[in-house]
Amino acid sequence: MAVTLKDIAQEAGVSITTVSRGLAGYDDVADETRQQIRQIAERLGYRPNLTARRLQKQRTDTLGFILPTFGPRFSDPFFSEFLAGIGNEAVNHHYDLLVSTHTPDTPGEIEAYRRAALGGWVDGLIVVRTREDDARIRLLHENQFPFVAFGRCGCDLDFPYVDEDSEAGMRLLVQHFVELGHRRIGFIAPPEGLMFGRLRRDGYLQAMADNGRTVEPTWLVTGDLTQRGGAEAAGRLLIDAPELTAVITGNDLMAVGAINRLRQHGLQVGQDIALGGFDDIPLAAYTAPPLTTIHQPIYEIGRRVCAMLVQLVNGQTPNPAHILLKPTLVIRESSGKPI
Amino acid sequence: MAVTLKDIAQEAGVSITTVSRGLAGYDDVADETRQQIRQIAERLGYRPNLTARRLQKQRTDTLGFILPTFGPRFSDPFFSEFLAGIGNEAVNHHYDLLVSTHTPDTPGEIEAYRRAALGGWVDGLIVVRTREDDARIRLLHENQFPFVAFGRCGCDLDFPYVDEDSEAGMRLLVQHFVELGHRRIGFIAPPEGLMFGRLRRDGYLQAMADNGRTVEPTWLVTGDLTQRGGAEAAGRLLIDAPELTAVITGNDLMAVGAINRLRQHGLQVGQDIALGGFDDIPLAAYTAPPLTTIHQPIYEIGRRVCAMLVQLVNGQTPNPAHILLKPTLVIRESSGKPI
DNA sequence: TTGAAAGCGCTAACAC
DNA sequence: GTGTTAGCGCTTTCAA
């Protein structure tokens, strides 16, 4: 059995209260007593029972993060870095991280949020992959439960978030291609429903319009954000829109798949066709050719989201409560030379 | 404030106990009473306070996973899939996952394990990236705290684990290259200290010896498991061991970096030089050229590790307690044609 | 400077 | 069937 305050108290011949205060470093305990208590605690290998402490303090010192997973083969390089960001920041503030995995938009998922918010499961939640109409955010907002989102949402609720400026990113990317002389630029869009997908898609359309480029319906296809999805979508573009000289993908993972598919088709990416991604996952620098993309400081975003949440659960108001990061363009070889 | 049993009891005009039992579905509660209790609970949006329940039950229904992170830019595609595996399995058994990030071999890390094991933090722990001499495993073993490791360790303690058979994997890889006609095969080894690194390295040496190939000292270099590290190591091999016709890397991430470096050097991987990786990360199929590698079912490993741990914390003995998975060779283009 | 007592929200043994 | 009581391990008044 684990060592408790009681054990120490017995050993030291004092009350539990005294032990508690002695270890907590209160100054109303005699130095001598404290010394002794400390020693015994050390010798017995005492660790406070966190559950008990939590029940008493009415707080868990734990932050929650419900990871969206899609079937078995989930592997967004993105999330491990994000997780490292929040994890490291949480450790700095002495918070633990409770992670749960759920498939998006399932009863299990929303129930997990409900439990978390109403069952004293955690002190605050981190919400990622925000959706255009996000039931999770509505739930948390209604219950006034502390949370910070990575991403905005389509509803008009006010909540703290960190997000990258997708539209600005897309503008940079389109502009880059336009400057290289491209006129017919396709887009492999993220699936419907995801907020960042909509913003990136709108950003692309807007940037095209701003540059006086009309977008043919066949130029815009949808992929499921995976390599496979990117490859498939690129395949469709090859058939339905062979006139394209450049393609932008909604995320880097799809770009990786697209590169592959295009090469299979005998096209040299960066030469015969230009390609741009979005995210700048660590891998992007190592594809062949290396990927031109929009850099998103994902580790940093994780850190900041977590830092904001810590403030929130401590009763402070994060300031600013809305962070929109300006993305930067990373030019590598996949976008090729001017034509 | 959150709704408690007390609130429901008051509302229903019964005792807390009755409410507790009614909600738990005990059959010694009158149907009518139960109905009423259920209704009120529903109406009030009651969620049990997990902390209280945990304190009472003396178990947390939570599994711990301490993620090794190395500085800010941590992103092993590996871990997100592993995490998905344990996460999904944990959810199935109604366990939560407490994740903490720590830099390996730091005081903070071992303290996290100590807290976890001695402070009733979690019911069981998952240990990954086992080390040749692993203080974490020794600690948990000494305290008889339930844990399952992904990987073996160099000490002779008996503990449950799931591992891939690195040696078998390396044998497959070396054999493959030997059959293609290669004689001079280099190796980019994982850093010292990691158990899987040692096993893969030994596996390579053993397989080379078995095939009657002597390994020159310059053929074996070390990389830090990242793309960058793989690129650097490949650079060293290009200078110090230009006679190599094939190179094996200790993991796929380094292979990705190596491909890049070799191409910069004007070598066509899969043609001028053969390359093989280890892990079969999702990306491996999408590098240029696609990577020949050893497949590790990482999601599945996560699932099984978690399933074993669940058994363990429930007082059962996982059988078998030691799982050594036979890896499979995935031949893609990077290993090239027979020479 | 120390201890007794209450209570965090819940479960479970026992009595009625 | 239902209530009383005790207790999980800890913190925190309040008295002594």
Side-chain angles (χ1 to χ4, degrees):
Chain A
M1 260 325 279
V3 182
T4 68
L5 288 185
K6 200 168 155 191
D7 299 323
I8 302 178
Q10 221 145 35
E11 187 94 5
V14 295
S15 75
I16 294 180
T17 315
T18 306
V19 177
S20 173
R21 281 185 305 214
L23 291 175
Y26 279 65
D27 51 3
D28 59 352
V29 176
D31 274 355
E32 202 182 352
T33 317
R34 188 190 358 261
Q35 293 291 339
Q36 194 200 5
I37 287 171
R38 286 251 167 89
Q39 257 175 28
I40 297 177
E42 173 76 15
R43 179 157 53 76
L44 264 42
Y46 169 77
R47 306 288 137 166
N49 181 315
L50 295 187
T51 308
R53 185 176 276 177
R54 281 167 184 172
L55 180 59
Q56 161 64 33
K57 292 239 171 138
Q58 289 294 76
R59 52 181 298 164
T60 63
D61 290 323
T62 302
L63 305 178
F65 177 43
I66 296 174
L67 194 63
T69 56
F70 313 82
R73 271 236 133 183
F74 157 87
S75 182
D76 202 327
F78 178 94
F79 279 122
S80 61
E81 223 180 312
F82 186 73
L83 190 63
I86 51 180
N88 288 348
E89 186 70 14
V91 164
N92 285 343
H93 296 282
H94 305 290
Y95 275 85
D96 288 322
L97 246 195
L98 198 52
V99 176
S100 192
T101 62
H102 282 284
T103 310
D105 288 318
T106 53
E109 186 197 40
I110 197 75
E111 177 56 24
Y113 278 88
R114 216 183 289 278
R115 273 203 310 152
L118 279 53
W121 191 45
V122 295
D123 294 337
L125 279 168
I126 288 167
V127 177
V128 297
R129 280 271 162 94
T130 51
R131 339 249 231 238
E132 298 196 45
D133 175 29
D134 205 312
R136 306 170 298 170
I137 291 181
R138 272 191 280 111
L139 173 75
L140 298 176
H141 194 270
E142 268 169 29
N143 289 283
Q144 301 189 53
F145 191 79
F147 74 99
V148 177
F150 171 18
R152 289 157 281 174
C153 88
C155 49
D156 57 353
L157 299 174
D158 181 44
F159 60 89
Y161 64 76
V162 178
D163 202 1
E164 43 94 24
D165 189 341
S166 309
E167 279 134 323
M170 275 300 160
R171 212 151 41 228
L172 288 173
L173 215 42
V174 169
Q175 214 101 26
H176 173 57
F177 282 134
V178 165
E179 280 162 17
L180 289 174
H182 294 278
R183 303 187 54 82
R184 297 183 299 280
I185 307 168
F187 187 61
I188 301 181
E192 294 283 306
L194 293 172
M195 195 60 197
F196 85 92
R198 185 177 105 187
L199 292 171
R200 290 184 188 179
R201 180 197 159 111
D202 288 356
Y204 156 78
L205 291 171
Q206 190 59 50
M208 288 294 275
D210 289 349
N211 281 278
R213 303 284 190 269
T214 39
V215 174
E216 300 298 326
T218 51
W219 296 3
L220 203 156
V221 296
T222 301
D224 68 0
L225 296 175
T226 67
Q227 289 107 309
R228 182 184 301 272
E232 276 170 16
R236 267 176 284 144
L237 285 181
L238 283 169
I239 294 170
D240 297 336
E243 69 272 25
L244 294 178
T245 61
V247 173
I248 294 173
T249 62
N251 72 341
D252 280 355
L253 237 38
M254 292 203 288
V256 173
I259 287 178
N260 210 253
R261 185 68 188 77
L262 293 170
R263 200 192 30 246
Q264 279 176 5
H265 196 73
L267 293 177
Q268 280 264 28
V269 173
Q271 214 147 325
D272 306 322
I273 188 162
L275 189 74
F278 204 116
D279 282 345
D280 197 27
I281 58 179
L283 178 84
Y286 293 94
T287 52
L291 191 62
T292 290
T293 187
I294 297 295
H295 181 70
Q296 246 200 119
I298 187 69
Y299 177 89
E300 184 61 19
I301 292 175
R303 255 196 11 75
R304 294 178 79 159
V305 165
C306 184
M308 282 168 70
L309 185 55
V310 167
Q311 290 197 288
L312 215 53
V313 301
N314 285 318
Q316 296 157 38
T317 309
N319 187 2
H322 310 286
I323 299 180
L324 202 56
L325 296 169
K326 285 292 164 224
T328 55
L329 176 67
V330 181
I331 299 177
R332 299 203 182 91
E333 296 167 32
S334 74
S335 51
K337 302 205 188 316
I339 55 173
Chain B
M1 258 327 278
V3 182
T4 69
L5 288 185
K6 200 169 156 192
D7 299 322
I8 302 179
Q10 221 146 36
E11 187 95 3
V14 295
S15 77
I16 294 181
T17 316
T18 306
V19 177
S20 172
R21 279 186 305 213
L23 291 175
Y26 279 66
D27 51 3
D28 60 352
V29 177
D31 272 355
E32 201 183 352
T33 318
R34 189 189 359 261
Q35 291 291 340
Q36 195 201 5
I37 287 170
R38 288 250 167 89
Q39 256 174 27
I40 298 177
E42 173 77 14
R43 179 156 54 76
L44 264 43
Y46 170 77
R47 305 289 136 165
N49 181 315
L50 295 186
T51 308
R53 186 177 277 178
R54 281 169 184 170
L55 181 58
Q56 158 64 31
K57 293 240 170 142
Q58 288 294 76
R59 52 180 298 164
T60 62
D61 290 321
T62 302
L63 306 177
F65 176 45
I66 296 173
L67 192 64
T69 55
F70 313 82
R73 272 236 134 183
F74 158 87
S75 181
D76 202 326
F78 178 94
F79 279 121
S80 60
E81 223 179 314
F82 186 73
L83 190 64
I86 49 181
N88 288 348
E89 186 69 14
V91 164
N92 285 343
H93 296 282
H94 305 290
Y95 276 85
D96 287 321
L97 246 196
L98 199 52
V99 176
S100 191
T101 63
H102 282 284
T103 310
D105 288 318
T106 53
E109 186 196 40
I110 197 76
E111 177 57 24
Y113 278 88
R114 215 182 291 277
R115 273 203 310 152
L118 280 52
W121 192 45
V122 295
D123 295 337
L125 277 169
I126 289 168
V127 177
V128 297
R129 280 273 162 91
T130 52
R131 304 162 196 160
E132 298 196 45
D133 175 29
D134 204 314
R136 304 169 300 170
I137 290 180
R138 274 192 278 110
L139 173 76
L140 297 177
H141 194 270
E142 268 169 30
N143 289 283
Q144 301 188 56
F145 190 79
F147 74 100
V148 177
F150 171 19
R152 289 158 281 174
C153 88
C155 51
D156 57 353
L157 299 174
D158 180 43
F159 59 90
Y161 62 77
V162 179
D163 203 1
E164 44 93 25
D165 189 341
S166 311
E167 279 133 322
M170 274 300 161
R171 213 152 38 229
L172 288 172
L173 215 42
V174 168
Q175 215 101 26
H176 173 57
F177 282 133
V178 166
E179 281 162 18
L180 289 175
H182 293 278
R183 302 188 55 82
R184 298 183 298 280
I185 306 168
F187 187 61
I188 301 181
E192 293 282 306
L194 293 173
M195 195 59 196
F196 85 92
R198 186 177 104 187
L199 292 171
R200 290 183 188 180
R201 181 196 158 111
D202 288 356
Y204 156 78
L205 291 171
Q206 190 57 50
M208 289 292 276
D210 289 350
N211 281 279
R213 304 283 189 270
T214 40
V215 174
E216 300 299 327
T218 52
W219 297 2
L220 203 154
V221 296
T222 299
D224 67 0
L225 296 175
T226 67
Q227 289 107 308
R228 181 183 301 272
E232 277 170 16
R236 268 176 284 144
L237 286 181
L238 283 170
I239 294 168
D240 297 337
E243 69 273 25
L244 295 177
T245 62
V247 173
I248 293 173
T249 63
N251 71 342
D252 280 355
L253 237 37
M254 290 202 290
V256 172
I259 288 179
N260 209 254
R261 185 70 189 76
L262 293 170
R263 201 193 26 248
Q264 281 176 5
H265 196 74
L267 292 177
Q268 280 263 29
V269 172
Q271 213 148 326
D272 307 322
I273 188 162
L275 190 73
F278 205 116
D279 283 344
D280 196 27
I281 56 178
L283 177 84
Y286 293 93
T287 51
L291 192 61
T292 290
T293 186
I294 298 294
H295 181 71
Q296 246 200 118
I298 188 69
Y299 177 88
E300 184 60 21
I301 292 175
R303 254 195 13 75
R304 294 178 79 158
V305 165
C306 184
M308 283 169 70
L309 186 55
V310 167
Q311 290 198 287
L312 213 54
V313 300
N314 285 318
Q316 297 156 38
T317 310
N319 187 4
H322 310 287
I323 298 181
L324 204 55
L325 296 169
K326 285 293 163 224
T328 55
L329 177 66
V330 181
I331 301 177
R332 300 204 183 91
E333 298 168 31
S334 74
S335 50
K337 303 204 186 316
I339 56 172

